[in-house]
Amino acid sequence: MTIINEIKQRTDITEVIAEYIPLQKAGRNLKALCPFHSEKHPSFFVFPEQQTWHCFGACGTGGDVFSFIMKKEGVDFGQALQLLARRAGITLSSPAVSREVEDKKKDRLYQINETATEYYHHLLLTTKTGELARGYLTKRKIMPETIKEFRLGFSPDSWEAAKNYLMNKGYEEKELIEAGLLIEKEGGGSYDRFRGRLMFPICDIQGRVTGLGARALDNSLPKYTNSPQTSIFDKSSNLYGIDNAKTAIRKKNQLIIVEGYMDVLTAHQHGWQNVVASMGTSLTEKQVALIKSLTKNISLALDADAAGEEATLRGAQILTQSLDRKAGPALSWSQELARSLHKGKTPDLSPSLAGLVKYQSILDAEIKVITLPEGEGKDPDEIIAENPTLWQNLVEQAAPLLDFTFEAIINKLDVNKAKDKSLAAQRLLPLICEINDPVQQDHYLRKLAHILQVSESSLITASKKLQLSKRKQQSVGATEQAPPLCRPLSNPIEEYCLALLLQYSELHSVAQEPSAEYFECTENREIFLKWQNSPDIAVLRSKLDTEILEHLDYLLAKTFPPAIQENGETRQLALTDCILRLQERLSRESEARREIVLNLAREKEGMEAELIKQEEQGTKFSQQLKEIFIKQGRPRRGGE
Ligand SMILES: [Zn+2]
């Protein structure tokens, strides 16, 4: 997650604004006297659901929490960011001044990794020392084209070979340590980190080498190792092979996640170019952020053993939480039940599992689990190489997440026993309750009834009982948990539009350009405004704050469908479409706003009428009050 999104996630606009001005409830929203112009009736509104504000009075403007702070404190975006970061308890990594230094450092690290990749690759392909690794790859049936495509390499079994080579190339020892290629000795000096290993360059989605993975070719432990975390390498935020896979993922509209480097190589070699590997046992949120822009059809093919299953589930959970959620319909009885079930401790039920099924059901994504044949200890790469048809079938027969979960739970129980029957119901019913789609919900309810050989109505009764006991538990139990934060972090159309403009410089000269007011997210607006006056990305970069650069990189890394990549006309059409949609949004919003203003006027009228009425009726009372005030020596405030 970018710093900007993290700040948004941890900041509630109503809390921030309430620190400056008193807010009153106005239906689902809040209103106040505008802090930016002088007025008698509140026309300043805060919309908690959108995390935005708007003044319907003299200002006629609005925005998000950043723009509020910028306006109220009279600061620029960078300063607003500092302020809100401090408030949210987030430490910003570097002050804006050192940005250039940081960038240069990063560029240098990319260069070092690139040089090392070429060096190792060369050793693997052409030298006698590389024979060991070549032999291993031949044994694993990896073809020369694949070796070249993935730029595999070999690190010689030496303490100083890479060090000497790279230092001869002009890199300093300190830099090489920082890049993770050398390990610093305690008493001073350094030595090669990777020795006698098969090397796998790990690239980001843009194809820059961010780090290296390495496999031992003898019995050395650990079998696999990789670059340490650096300012450009974070194992948990990347997927191995993503740069080579991105086009195929888009084309096939499907992504398969495996566990190992070798699985990816074999898969690509056999025509499965949409395969990537998670470099660890479970998926992380950052990895999912990468996938999200490519496809929503995701299949997980991890180990079949218990640990693998666990990892799959954990991975799936992160997936479902991170993908965009569609707004779900109103809560049904079952969701209500599920909700109550998942508050607090739920014995015998993994709340995360319930959560993931729930998320999937309201996600615009299809998550499947590829189950590998058990007991044979076969990895995907062995299956793909030895039996491509079996692999094809496994992918096609991948089980939807909920079916997989059903099996995982039922398999551990003896559903002929009454006790296990109710246990299975206890564990699975809440999951079924999480499904939004009534048809699907009905399908799984029938399925469960069928497996357990009980009637559906008894399951429904059981659910209600579960709900009741849970409610009782709750009323006795601890304090209510706050609902999870779900604040709008980004705007997809804004981002799409901006990414198009940034990535295709020819669009700079297109006659119709979006207007800055189309961008409601301050970070998008900032980038757009600075982009308008920048001849190229390098200049734009130099104009932006460090924290916003992360967002810029994210936009630059967004990949477009082939039609857009290849055809200038399609690009222009896409841009025009975006602009129209942003325009539409703006006018839709202004319509909603008009309504609020109308209500405001009516309210005002009503208030005035009420005042007149009160004045008429209350002259006597007001006279009495006046007398009291005079007696107490306090002047009475003039009525409105
Ligand atoms: Zn105003």
Side-chain angles (χ1 to χ4, degrees):
M1 202 189 286
T2 64
I3 283 280
I4 294 173
N5 279 350
E6 214 172 321
I7 293 172
K8 282 191 193 172
Q9 181 80 61
R10 291 208 213 163
T11 306
D12 183 359
I13 194 169
T14 46
E15 279 174 23
V16 172
I17 295 182
E19 284 167 19
Y20 291 91
I21 46 170
L23 295 169
Q24 308 165 242
K25 265 212 162 300
R28 280 186 301 179
N29 307 316
L30 296 127
K31 61 181 179 180
L33 291 174
C34 178
F36 306 122
H37 80 273
S38 134
E39 61 179 0
K40 279 189 176 170
H41 300 289
S43 60
F44 178 92
F45 277 71
V46 180
F47 307 99
E49 279 165 38
Q50 288 90 32
Q51 291 285 304
T52 56
W53 61 274
H54 197 94
C55 169
F56 297 103
C59 312
T61 53
D64 57 13
V65 69
F66 290 100
S67 61
F68 178 83
I69 292 290
M70 284 161 74
K71 217 165 145 68
K72 190 75 191 93
E73 297 281 353
V75 295
D76 65 14
F77 182 75
Q79 290 163 309
L81 195 77
Q82 300 269 350
L83 214 140
L84 287 169
R86 213 177 312 136
R87 194 182 172 282
I90 295 168
T91 4
L92 297 178
S93 49
S94 53
V97 264
S98 66
R99 177 181 70 208
E100 241 172 89
V101 184
E102 278 283 302
D103 277 358
K104 273 193 186 144
K105 247 185 179 174
K106 280 188 182 178
D107 280 345
R108 191 83 174 157
L109 289 181
Y110 285 123
Q111 275 175 34
I112 292 174
N113 281 336
E114 183 61 35
T115 315
T117 296
E118 277 167 21
Y119 167 66
Y120 292 137
H121 188 52
H122 169 77
L123 287 181
L124 174 75
L125 290 184
T126 55
T127 63
K128 176 127 181 62
T129 43
E131 218 162 57
L132 182 67
R134 285 202 296 275
Y136 174 79
L137 289 168
T138 312
K139 205 179 82 198
R140 297 294 294 263
K141 300 196 180 70
I142 301 299
M143 298 190 300
E145 300 83 71
T146 313
I147 295 174
K148 278 185 192 146
E149 193 193 335
F150 285 85
R151 299 205 285 160
L152 303 186
F154 173 67
S155 55
D157 195 6
S158 150
W159 297 98
E160 298 206 305
K163 178 179 170 179
N164 290 338
Y165 176 82
L166 291 164
M167 286 181 72
N168 272 336
K169 284 274 172 189
Y171 297 108
E172 285 169 34
E173 187 179 15
K174 208 177 126 237
E175 292 177 305
L176 296 171
I177 293 170
E178 209 173 308
L181 290 165
L182 301 184
I183 295 175
E184 199 169 11
K185 282 190 225 167
E186 255 179 55
S190 62
Y191 58 93
D192 288 5
R193 176 182 297 271
F194 304 111
R195 301 176 307 280
R197 285 173 176 263
L198 178 62
M199 304 299 297
F200 301 87
I202 299 161
C203 298
D204 60 13
I205 198 160
Q206 292 157 273
R208 296 179 296 190
V209 185
T210 55
L212 289 141
R215 189 197 191 281
L217 292 166
D218 51 21
N219 293 327
S220 307
L221 288 172
K223 196 158 129 192
Y224 282 97
T225 176
N226 50 253
S227 301
Q229 179 133 354
T230 69
S231 61
I232 58 165
F233 183 65
D234 174 14
K235 200 165 77 153
S236 67
S237 67
N238 210 350
L239 288 161
Y240 178 69
I242 191 78
D243 56 320
N244 291 321
K246 65 181 177 207
T247 314
I249 294 168
R250 276 200 175 277
K251 222 170 173 180
K252 293 191 179 178
N253 192 18
Q254 184 201 31
L255 166 77
I256 298 174
I257 302 175
V258 294
E259 267 180 333
Y261 302 120
M262 296 304 285
D263 297 327
V264 173
L265 300 184
T266 309
H268 278 244
Q269 195 165 285
H270 285 82
W272 294 89
Q273 279 101 348
N274 57 338
V275 172
V276 299
S278 63
M279 292 174 284
T281 41
S282 63
L283 280 173
T284 67
E285 203 180 315
K286 285 178 187 168
Q287 289 169 334
V288 171
L290 259 182
I291 301 169
K292 220 164 75 168
S293 61
L294 299 171
T295 182
K296 294 201 165 177
N297 297 312
I298 295 144
S299 297
L300 302 164
L302 308 180
D303 274 358
D305 60 40
E309 199 171 281
E310 190 61 19
T312 310
L313 290 179
R314 262 184 289 133
Q317 188 200 346
I318 288 164
L319 265 179
T320 45
Q321 284 173 341
S322 308
L323 287 159
D324 288 327
R325 278 171 228 173
K326 274 189 170 177
L331 290 179
S332 63
W333 68 267
S334 51
Q335 287 163 326
E336 202 73 84
L337 156 72
R339 231 189 205 190
S340 62
L341 271 174
H342 299 127
K343 275 186 186 162
K345 280 183 192 160
T346 323
D348 293 325
L349 175 87
S350 140
S352 59
L353 198 58
L356 80 91
V357 176
K358 173 182 179 176
Y359 289 138
Q360 173 176 263
S361 74
I362 51 174
L363 276 176
D364 192 17
E366 165 110 79
I367 297 168
K368 289 183 172 176
V369 180
I370 298 172
T371 317
L372 300 178
E374 231 173 306
E376 294 166 51
K378 278 192 175 168
D379 289 333
D381 83 303
E382 291 172 272
I383 301 172
I384 295 167
E386 288 164 24
N387 195 344
T389 326
L390 173 62
W391 172 252
Q392 171 88 37
N393 289 341
L394 290 174
V395 172
E396 278 168 15
Q397 288 157 14
L401 188 61
L402 204 70
D403 293 86
F404 174 80
T405 313
F406 254 67
E407 211 159 301
I409 289 178
I410 299 282
N411 277 349
K412 286 183 187 132
L413 300 168
D414 177 2
V415 289
N416 290 317
K417 289 184 185 156
K419 198 178 151 235
D420 280 13
K421 269 186 209 214
S422 65
L423 216 56
Q426 266 178 45
R427 292 180 188 179
L428 287 166
L429 272 178
L431 301 184
I432 296 170
C433 296
E434 297 287 9
I435 304 170
N436 261 346
D437 182 337
V439 179
Q440 278 198 38
Q441 192 174 52
D442 188 56
H443 166 84
Y444 285 107
L445 203 59
R446 276 166 201 267
K447 181 173 172 164
L448 184 61
H450 178 76
I451 293 173
L452 301 181
Q453 294 294 308
V454 297
S455 69
E456 275 173 61
S457 60
S458 72
L459 287 180
I460 292 171
T461 316
S463 324
K464 286 183 177 157
K465 270 190 188 158
L466 274 176
Q467 184 184 26
L468 273 179
S469 76
K470 206 67 215 172
R471 279 203 181 140
K472 264 185 213 156
Q473 233 177 302
Q474 258 168 24
S475 59
V476 182
T479 49
E480 287 235 350
Q481 262 190 318
L485 296 176
C486 183
R487 301 199 170 117
L489 296 181
S490 66
N491 183 294
I493 309 173
E494 283 184 17
E495 287 181 356
Y496 198 88
C497 180
L498 206 48
L500 268 175
L501 289 172
L502 292 168
Q503 291 186 30
Y504 298 101
S505 56
E506 91 266 10
L507 294 172
H508 215 313
S509 54
V510 169
Q512 192 206 18
E513 264 182 15
S515 138
E517 63 171 344
Y518 292 176
F519 298 98
E520 222 165 48
C521 289
T522 308
E523 66 273 24
N524 290 336
R525 195 182 289 193
E526 280 286 307
I527 292 178
F528 176 73
L529 284 170
K530 303 245 157 88
W531 168 84
Q532 278 186 313
N533 304 310
S534 306
D536 55 46
I537 300 293
V539 175
L540 172 63
R541 227 173 240 289
S542 67
K543 288 182 184 169
L544 291 169
D545 282 291
T546 328
E547 286 71 26
I548 226 175
L549 283 179
E550 210 181 347
H551 186 59
L552 177 70
D553 283 332
Y554 161 77
L555 293 170
L556 287 170
K558 259 188 180 307
T559 41
F560 291 101
I564 283 186
Q565 287 178 30
E566 287 150 20
N567 189 325
E569 244 168 75
T570 318
R571 274 200 288 279
Q572 277 204 19
L573 282 174
L575 179 68
T576 313
D577 184 48
C578 274
I579 294 173
L580 281 174
R581 284 167 72 181
L582 289 174
Q583 243 167 8
E584 228 175 70
R585 181 181 73 170
L586 202 67
S587 60
R588 231 187 359 253
E589 274 168 9
S590 27
E591 247 168 64
R593 281 165 185 166
R594 234 195 324 275
E595 201 160 304
I596 290 180
V597 172
L598 261 169
N599 282 337
L600 209 68
R602 268 187 227 121
E603 206 176 288
K604 223 185 271 181
E605 259 169 42
M607 247 156 58
E608 268 154 22
E610 183 69 18
L611 273 174
I612 293 167
K613 212 169 89 191
Q614 273 180 10
E615 227 148 81
E616 282 167 0
Q617 288 177 346
T619 23
K620 207 176 146 198
F621 179 65
S622 138
Q623 191 59 38
Q624 286 171 343
L625 270 180
K626 213 180 199 171
E627 281 164 18
I628 295 170
F629 275 108
I630 291 168
K631 268 185 202 162
Q632 291 181 342
R634 263 199 284 166
R636 196 190 161 201
R637 277 194 310 157
E640 283 195 34

